[in-house]
Amino acid sequence: MKLLHIIGSLIAAALLTSCSSNNQPLPTIDPDSLRQTHYGPVIGMSDEHDTYAWLNIPFAAPPINELRWKAPRQPQLWTENRKAIEYGQPCVQLWGILSSVDGSSGDTVGSEDCLSLNVWAPKNLPQDKKLPVMVWIHGGGNTVGTANSYQGHHLASDQEVIYVGINYRLGLFGSFSHQSLRNTSTTPEDASGNYAVLDIIAALKWVQGNISEFGGDQNNVTIFGESAGGRNVYSMLASPLAKDLFHKAIIQSGSTHTTDLNAAEAFRNTKGEGYFNSSNEILARLLVNDQKAENTISAKAEINQRTDPEIAQYLREKSPAELMADIPASSVGMFRAPQSLADGYVLPTQPLMSLLEDETTFNSVPTLLGSNRDENKVFMAQDPRWTHKFLGFLPRVTEPQKYNRYASYFSQQWKTLAVDEPAERLSRHKPEQTFAYRFDWDNTPSNWLIDFPELLGAGHALEIGFVFGDFEKGINIEQLNTEENLEDRMGLSRAIMNYWGQFAYDGKPGRGSSGEFPEWKPWSSTTDNLMILDGKSDQGVEMISLRLSAADLKQNLLKDPNITSQKELCQLYAQSFIVSFQSREFGDQEEYNNFGETGCASYPSHVFESDH
């Protein structure tokens, strides 16, 4: 049984599907945790590291029935003490380990009644001051995940901050723009399609109005998030509706990309261009499944015959499972769909990268941003084009040299488009307020069973446990954490928590809250500009000078002797710049058509864009 457990854990680790369960014994209420919010009293529990925790506090009314695909409304008031000691449901999603609930592949799990947040606070609060607030926006491609996967007790206690983890609508419920909904809306918020973004703004408004009751300073709020959470932090920088709701921002492996409304709604054309999960494609599949149309062509005719109120009602009557039917998803439940919609009200129609050129066009605050050295290995490790199963279950890299080369390209692209190019723009306005990092830790096991440094390296999302100081609960890959790397791992985690905590206090990571670490200098075009976050057994924590521009990456592609075909060159250019999910502002169609010796006109860029 032990061998089976080890094998199972290895498989789960390799697929990034190892996640601790939240099904813990029912906690008990702590009377000293009673707090009064604007909507009613809440009572929480004692938790680890000498903290209080309050779980599943509603910050908005359930977005169900007529409130589906509308901006969040105020929660209903209550008068009795609300027991805030159990996690609420995750927002609706296709099941995967990031859901933090039981289920099977293909299941629709969670609830539309999910707009809640979790709070952790140190028990022994200073009497003479309010603590900085850190608001975590979880990742998951904006289609999966939940705040319930992250416990804030260690971060709150160690750094003396108030931690808040928030839920927001996901997938088709969080970003869905359609003419029928827009034309039957009475406010620009309801018409925007940006319900996930509006949920995050509503949670920040809750923080402004209530966090002082939990010991937090509403005038010192740091938002931080990873992956899609980092993308949502960029959305908060861009949205005029989020102005003055936060004061600092940390972006871990984020993205500045927004989706054009036409693309979010349009049918795919005969060439296969467009979103498989655009709103009209979803609507057409519903009509076919209900036998109201035979195929997409007749579904289009049916849609044209119906009024906007009829279509809006039809969509709202559908169950989550019906709406999510026929959506192809990854092994963790993620799928590709429009998100971060450039609607012109909640988010500008102007690309986010260009907004950063002028500090009057975005919410300019001190910003710390970074990426992981081997971001893309996590995704490539799950792809049969790059790996095979040794003995039928152990993942092995098929072509190590090519695997590492492509992983390096796309990880550098992530750093360039999500970190370096934004940092260059942010630092032009207030150079002392922009800080950048790269997470390099890969001191993980390598043996005959599995070679984690090669397979995953310093991969996407692996820094999260270091940020939270938690390698046992929440999202955790058990087999990466060993007795052999414990000292190295905990030392780096302490440094990262110190830097994040100090940044939350005064907008500068400095030498960390304890003052014992190397000084983190602001982004600069002339001196050291990047903090390397690695364990002492390797490079350690140190500032270096390393910057990459989009132009640099293009030149690197042209000069690479290992690229042996024009098609490969075109694929790398298209995936890096034209169909990229980090930023598409650096892709130029004319340049693409003439890129390399024979150009790329024969390779339409959309053929390199996967639907999921």
Side-chain angles (χ1 to χ4, degrees), residues 360-382:
T360 66
T361 61
F362 71 100
N363 300 316
S364 179
V365 297
T367 304
L368 188 156
L369 65 170
S371 64
N372 295 2
R373 188 193 63 210
D374 305 307
E375 292 278 6
N376 272 65
K377 281 191 173 183
V378 165
F379 306 102
M380 295 169 67
Q382 303 174 66

Side-chain angles (χ1 to χ4, degrees), residues 176 226 229 522:
F176 196 79
E226 184 271 340

Side-chain angles (χ1 to χ4, degrees), residues 155-364:
L155 187 61
S157 174
D158 188 76
Q159 295 303 307
E160 284 200 343
V161 298
I162 307 300
Y163 168 85
V164 181
I166 66 175
N167 286 319
Y168 55 92
R169 280 173 279 184
L170 301 168
L172 309 183
F173 301 89
S175 298
F176 196 79
S177 179
H178 192 270
Q179 172 183 309
S180 64
L181 301 176
R182 187 168 53 254
N183 291 344
T184 55
S185 296
T186 58
T187 69
E189 290 90 348
D190 287 348
S192 71
N194 269 315
Y195 310 110
V197 177
L198 289 168
D199 290 344
I200 296 169
I201 291 171
L204 292 175
K205 289 180 178 178
W206 184 95
V207 168
Q208 285 297 307
N210 296 278
I211 206 63
S212 63
E213 290 294 317
F214 298 82
D217 181 357
Q218 71 269 26
N219 296 312
N220 190 3
V221 175
T222 298
I223 56 175
F224 68 132
E226 184 271 340
S227 193
R231 182 175 189 167
N232 294 331
V233 172
Y234 270 125
S235 290
M236 293 301 103
L237 292 178
S239 178
L241 305 186
K243 183 176 176 57
D244 298 328
L245 296 180
F246 63 97
H247 312 94
K248 304 173 187 69
I250 300 175
I251 302 167
Q252 301 170 209
S253 305
S255 164
T256 66
H257 180 54
T258 56
T259 304
D260 178 79
L261 282 189
N262 290 329
E265 299 183 20
F267 286 98
R268 283 159 63 91
N269 63 26
T270 56
K271 297 179 181 179
E273 295 174 300
Y275 282 96
F276 179 78
N277 294 315
S278 72
S279 60
N280 271 307
E281 288 286 347
I282 293 290
L283 178 56
R285 292 204 296 272
L286 288 172
L287 292 169
V288 172
N289 291 343
D290 284 347
Q291 298 182 341
K292 298 180 183 299
E294 294 183 4
N295 50 43
T296 301
I297 295 175
S298 58
K300 288 181 180 179
E302 178 69 18
I303 292 169
N304 289 332
Q305 291 174 6
R306 295 192 178 203
T307 66
D308 288 331
E310 288 173 341
I311 294 175
Q313 181 179 356
Y314 175 73
L315 287 169
R316 288 195 171 98
E317 287 174 349
K318 291 298 173 185
S319 70
E322 289 174 312
L323 287 164
M324 305 275 278
D326 305 319
I327 291 180
S330 73
S331 60
V332 296
M334 292 185 193
F335 58 90
R336 180 174 170 265
Q339 55 186 273
S340 305
L341 307 179
D343 67 293
Y345 184 78
V346 177
L347 289 178
T349 56
Q350 186 179 354
L352 266 62
M353 191 72 75
S354 61
L355 287 178
L356 303 181
E357 301 277 1
D358 181 354
E359 68 174 334
T360 66
T361 61
F362 71 100
N363 300 316
S364 179

Side-chain angles (χ1 to χ4, degrees), residues 135-149:
V135 179
W136 174 251
I137 306 173
H138 72 79
N142 277 322
T143 56
V144 298
T146 171
N148 300 346
S149 298

Side-chain angles (χ1 to χ4, degrees), residues 463-497:
E463 86 286 3
I464 295 176
F466 292 79
V467 171
F468 282 82
D470 189 351
F471 299 97
E472 297 177 356
K473 295 183 178 180
I475 296 175
N476 174 49
I477 305 173
E478 179 183 349
Q479 295 300 318
L480 298 185
N481 308 320
T482 65
E483 285 295 323
E484 289 74 21
N485 65 31
L486 177 63
E487 182 178 354
D488 200 52
R489 177 163 37 92
M490 297 310 296
L492 179 58
S493 177
R494 175 167 170 75
I496 291 175
M497 292 178 70

